[in-house]
Amino acid sequence: MAVRPIVRLGHPALRAPASPVLKERLGDEDLQTLIDDMIETMLAAGGVGLAAPQLGLDRQLIVYVVVDPEKTPAQADKRVLVNPMLEPLPGEPVYDWEGCLSIPDLRGLVPRHPAVKVHALDREGRLVEFAAEGYEGRIVQHEFDHLNGVVFLDRMRDLRSLAFSAEWEEFMIEGEKAQVG
Ligand code: NI
């Protein structure tokens, strides 16, 4: 396993739709190594989610931490989604703070669906379907956007909430943490 470099805003991979992964390819060692590297890279960077385009790769692949207040991100379960599709579940948009490993040091308020139904393959190629809500739903929506060339800045309704993380912590939301993916 290895930590790989994360590309930043301006890299074309962050603005291009990613290609699906062929199910048969999930048996390949290099793809399984990539998934392990994505998890290691995400944890090393202090994020709770990472999408393959953030490594400059054209693949519909997401990893994220199933955040558990009792556990560190390294201890918590990790989920791998291959070729995900999201189905928004009904409800008013919910605003919360987000950041992005490809847009370092910025935080902003982003509206998201309160819950989504996820249809995807897991890393073994099995079909998974589940509802993701709250923090998990937000992470999934943020990472899914990366597979479509969309970043959280595009989703913001009011850029006045945009802040550098130190100023955000000092002036805007003392003591809380933003999701960074
Ligand atoms: Ni991101």
Side-chain angles (χ1 to χ4, degrees):
M1 293 209 292
V3 172
R4 302 196 189 191
I6 295 173
V7 303
R8 306 198 303 177
L9 200 61
H11 191 292
L14 294 173
R15 288 310 197 177
S19 305
V21 175
L22 290 174
K23 192 178 166 187
E24 309 80 72
R25 287 267 290 119
L26 287 168
D28 293 0
E29 200 183 326
D30 62 339
L31 202 59
Q32 292 296 324
T33 301
L34 168 62
I35 291 169
D36 289 334
D37 288 355
M38 285 175 67
I39 292 170
E40 196 174 347
T41 301
M42 167 183 72
L43 294 175
V48 291
L50 188 75
Q54 294 184 274
L55 299 182
L57 301 172
D58 173 21
R59 292 207 175 85
Q60 291 183 18
L61 204 51
I62 287 170
V63 301
Y64 69 92
V65 175
V66 183
V67 175
D68 179 340
E70 313 268 291
K71 294 176 181 168
T72 66
Q75 294 166 333
D77 289 339
K78 267 66 87 182
R79 210 163 240 169
V80 177
L81 302 180
V82 181
N83 304 340
M85 300 256 297
L86 299 190
E87 185 189 327
L89 296 173
E92 291 297 307
V94 178
Y95 283 76
D96 208 345
W97 296 97
E98 293 186 21
C100 181
L101 296 173
S102 296
I103 310 170
D105 211 28
L106 285 173
R107 304 284 180 264
L109 271 180
V110 183
R112 298 288 184 188
H113 300 293
V116 290
K117 187 161 184 201
V118 180
H119 309 259
L121 300 177
D122 67 11
R123 66 185 296 171
E124 274 87 41
R126 295 175 296 220
L127 190 65
V128 289
E129 286 189 343
F130 59 97
E133 55 181 30
Y135 197 43
E136 182 178 12
R138 179 168 295 274
I139 295 172
V140 168
Q141 290 173 76
H142 177 117
E143 301 311 330
F144 178 77
D145 272 351
H146 278 304
L147 304 182
N148 293 288
V150 173
V151 298
F152 81 89
L153 300 175
D154 307 329
R155 297 283 187 198
M156 290 179 67
R157 297 280 169 80
D158 185 349
L159 287 170
R160 286 178 297 180
S161 72
L162 197 63
F164 288 104
S165 48
E167 283 74 7
W168 178 76
E169 280 174 25
E170 184 175 357
F171 299 113
M172 298 172 91
I173 189 122
E174 208 172 316
E176 279 199 43
K177 286 264 182 232
Q179 169 217 324
V180 180

